[in-house]
Amino acid sequence: MDPIPASKCHCGKISAPPAPFCPSCGKPMEECLLPTYGRILSYTVLYSPPEGFSSPLSIALVELEGRAKFLCHGEEKGLKIGRRVAIERLDEIYYFSTLSLRERAELFWRRRGETQQKLKAIIRSLSRRVRGSPPPGGIRAASQ
Amino acid sequence: MAEVYIAGVGMTKFGRSERSLLNLMAEAARTALTHAGIYEFDAIYLGAMNPEEFVGDGCFAALFADYLGYAYVPSLRVETGTSSGAAAFFAAWTAVASGHYRRVLVVAGEKMTHLSTPRVAEILSRMIDPYERSYGATMPALAAMVTRAYMEEHGVGPKELALVAVKNHHNGTLNPYAHFQQEVSLEEVMESRMIADPLRLYHCCPISDGAAAALLTAEEQPVKVAGMGHGTDHPALRHRDSLTSFRATVAAAQRAYKMADKRPGDIQVAEVHDAFAPFEIISTEDLGFFPPGKGARALVKGRTALDGDLPINPSGGLKARGHPVGATGLAQIVEIVWQLKGEAEKRQVEARVGLSHSIGGLASNNWVTILERV
């Protein structure tokens, strides 16, 4: 799975998505990449989501490697604080998942968009799916 | 800096109103002037979160000054999201404390109920970090994530959260200015519609119309501003160090206590920003009234009830008094003034020192104000 673009500061702060200046100390940040798995810090299931989203909408705050935190969409099933999740990007939106291949296909099928795009997304997701636990690895520089 | 006193306060009833925002704010202002017996002042400081989108008016301070019949009095608007009323009070306080002005009228209001709930939610969500908003995060969604993390960290259950609403609705029955003036039962709260798990409808404050006002002066009066503090934090939840405590409240409180030379134990009554029920519990901890994780226990034991040792939200809070966003921060101060002056009628508590706490955005721009009877 593609690593997650982020930025890091000398003060230790990591921002995902990347930010030009450190939100904590104001210094310029350097781009970096984060591995695509983390741990659920908190979550909600929203029953009155804003326009453009379908209900129920599951949103989780996931802690990535290096204490960077990140909002993702996902499936209601498997929501639990502390649970490890894989993160995957589809059409600029990040999804967390503890799901099987079939459940994952169903999740993407229910997204908004044209049928053809949905099918493409599912095929990409299935073909990219790495079985077993995610590979070990910390924060990598973007140039690597 | 000179001492600053509150000569008079006023507010409209909060709730649904057919009247214009200008009209509501003028009523609050006229009431405050009458309460003070003062009709001449040097400036108008106005708090409103978003009159451009809520009612379609701009350059709002000038429109208001003209409407009130004081077009020649300098007027300006101050905005910090949902805490704009407290921000306007702060700006007015600095103007009087510095000696730049002698008397300043502070007025704050919002009109929201004429719009659909999704439209109001959309306008409120403009306070959210744009990236998090792009994921469908609304104010209730982010508040729900804070709540979930708090419940997990401190072992607090849905019953404790619901008790905030039960208490504040009870207080609202004693407040003729409250949006809701009826009791709710624990069961009604716990069985109300789920909005953003674990937050249910009755954990959330209503959408309201209303206005509040205060006249600040350098001339000695029975109630003075003892201290004020402003605290901020990242709007983005993902950049916060803690989910279960609001840095913006802690920072604002430290500054206010220091300026007032008070400690949390000196506070005898407080108005706290309970836009979502668990925020009252978290805020009573952040303000130093109770240790982290112990706010819920204090609530369950009745310590924060009207007859408790530290009454919290005698007005009914945002939950029952209502939340016309820009007005709330000032309405809280109005309630504390009434409490300190013995003018709170059926909900009167015994207090000489009171505190009000206002949250802007999802606790990214907060204010703490300490008032004292002279």
Side-chain angles (χ1 to χ4, degrees):
Chain A
M1 282 179 273
D2 297 339
I4 297 168
S7 58
K8 63 177 176 182
C9 179
H10 292 296
C11 76
K13 183 87 179 174
I14 299 173
S15 173
F21 301 104
C22 176
S24 294
C25 75
K27 293 205 173 70
M29 298 187 95
E30 285 175 20
E31 289 190 2
C32 66
L33 295 167
L34 300 175
T36 54
Y37 55 91
R39 175 175 82 81
I40 294 180
L41 283 183
S42 195
Y43 62 89
T44 186
V45 183
L46 190 53
Y47 292 93
S48 49
E51 200 180 332
F53 297 89
S54 53
S55 175
L57 177 68
S58 299
I59 309 176
L61 186 67
V62 175
E63 185 174 61
L64 305 172
E65 194 84 12
R67 299 200 66 215
K69 301 174 198 122
F70 199 57
L71 269 196
C72 316
H73 283 169
E75 182 64 20
E76 207 171 328
K77 186 182 163 188
L79 280 174
K80 191 174 187 307
I81 289 179
R83 174 157 287 174
R84 281 180 72 84
V85 288
I87 294 163
E88 179 167 1
R89 188 176 73 170
L90 279 163
D91 302 336
E92 304 304 316
I93 298 285
Y94 284 92
Y95 293 86
F96 68 87
S97 177
T98 55
L99 308 175
S100 68
L101 292 175
R102 181 166 162 269
E103 288 167 330
R104 178 175 287 240
E106 283 174 2
L107 170 68
F108 291 138
W109 182 252
R110 288 210 306 274
R111 297 167 65 231
R112 296 192 313 142
E114 300 293 324
T115 306
Q116 202 183 347
Q117 287 177 346
K118 288 194 216 179
L119 280 173
K120 275 187 188 165
I122 291 168
I123 291 162
R124 282 207 305 276
S125 167
L126 297 186
S127 65
R128 266 204 308 228
R129 176 77 168 172
V130 180
R131 287 196 169 276
S133 53
I139 305 151
R140 290 191 285 139
S143 55
Q144 282 183 318
Chain B
M1 284 194 301
E3 293 278 21
V4 179
Y5 301 88
I6 302 174
V9 293
M11 65 181 276
T12 66
K13 184 191 177 300
F14 281 10
R16 283 180 175 274
S17 173
E18 299 300 317
R19 292 156 53 196
S20 72
L21 177 58
L22 288 170
N23 190 268
L24 290 168
M25 291 175 81
E27 181 195 320
R30 289 276 171 196
T31 308
L33 297 178
T34 307
H35 190 226
I38 295 172
Y39 299 91
E40 287 180 9
F41 41 89
D42 304 320
I44 299 171
Y45 280 46
L46 185 147
M49 176 182 153
N50 197 341
E52 289 82 358
E53 288 195 273
F54 281 126
V55 299
D57 287 336
C59 197
F60 197 69
L63 293 185
F64 174 75
D66 191 48
Y67 186 91
L68 191 69
Y70 286 82
Y72 301 144
V73 172
S75 59
L76 64 86
R77 177 175 141 212
V78 185
E79 185 268 313
T80 56
T82 45
S83 60
S84 295
F89 185 89
F90 173 79
W93 169 76
T94 58
V96 177
S98 70
H100 187 73
Y101 290 131
R102 189 158 175 80
R103 292 174 184 163
V104 176
L105 172 67
V106 193
V107 58
E110 212 83 54
K111 177 151 175 63
M112 309 163 77
T113 65
H114 58 294
L115 299 178
S116 69
T117 300
R119 175 72 181 135
V120 170
E122 184 190 354
I123 296 172
L124 293 176
S125 73
R126 308 228 191 284
M127 295 184 291
I128 297 170
D129 169 76
Y131 177 75
E132 297 190 354
R133 203 191 313 154
S134 76
Y135 275 73
T138 57
M139 295 297 283
L142 295 176
M145 283 196 267
V146 167
T147 304
R148 174 69 67 194
Y150 182 89
M151 293 167 84
E152 174 89 4
E153 187 171 318
H154 295 302
V156 168
K159 188 178 164 189
E160 285 99 321
L161 303 186
L163 280 172
V164 175
V166 173
K167 170 181 75 71
N168 290 349
H169 266 266
H170 171 72
N171 294 354
T173 65
L174 305 171
N175 183 357
Y177 294 90
H179 187 156
F180 295 135
Q181 299 180 28
Q182 67 272 2
E183 306 271 358
V184 294
S185 68
L186 193 62
E187 293 70 31
E188 281 175 295
V189 179
M190 292 180 72
E191 287 163 16
S192 61
R193 180 161 59 87
M194 193 68 90
I195 301 290
D197 189 21
L199 293 177
R200 295 174 181 275
L201 182 65
Y202 280 24
H203 292 130
C204 307
C205 67
I207 292 166
S208 318
D209 307 323
L215 187 76
L216 295 185
T217 173
E219 300 138 309
E220 187 164 341
Q221 297 282 334
V223 174
K224 72 169 183 179
V225 183
M228 264 200 100
H230 186 191
T232 52
D233 201 353
H234 305 285
L237 216 51
R238 68 185 187 284
H239 291 322
R240 302 261 175 106
D241 292 330
S242 170
L243 286 181
T244 57
S245 162
F246 294 137
R247 186 205 173 273
T249 298
V250 174
Q254 280 174 352
R255 288 167 186 152
Y257 286 132
K258 189 177 175 197
M259 184 181 299
D261 194 21
K262 303 276 184 223
R263 299 155 58 87
D266 296 326
I267 305 301
Q268 294 161 313
V269 61
E271 284 284 308
V272 166
H273 192 106
D274 60 327
F276 303 97
F279 282 18
E280 179 177 301
I281 298 172
I282 292 172
S283 300
T284 56
E285 298 171 8
D286 289 339
L287 291 165
F289 299 152
F290 309 113
K294 305 295 182 198
R297 190 193 292 176
L299 167 79
V300 172
K301 286 169 118 179
R303 294 186 60 191
T304 59
L306 218 46
D307 59 357
D309 60 295
L310 178 55
I312 303 288
N313 285 326
S315 69
L318 281 59
K319 180 70 199 73
R321 181 185 49 212
H323 188 26
V325 285
T328 291
L330 192 55
Q332 294 173 313
I333 290 170
V334 169
E335 174 71 15
I336 295 297
V337 171
W338 281 335
Q339 291 289 350
L340 299 185
K341 292 183 81 175
E343 297 173 3
E345 300 178 340
K346 290 181 193 165
R347 60 190 189 286
Q348 183 67 50
V349 301
E350 182 53 46
R352 206 180 65 79
V353 181
L355 177 150
S356 79
H357 158 257
S358 183
I359 291 181
L362 195 97
S364 55
N365 215 329
N366 297 4
W367 299 92
V368 170
T369 308
I370 299 172
L371 304 181
E372 185 171 15
R373 200 167 67 211
V374 177

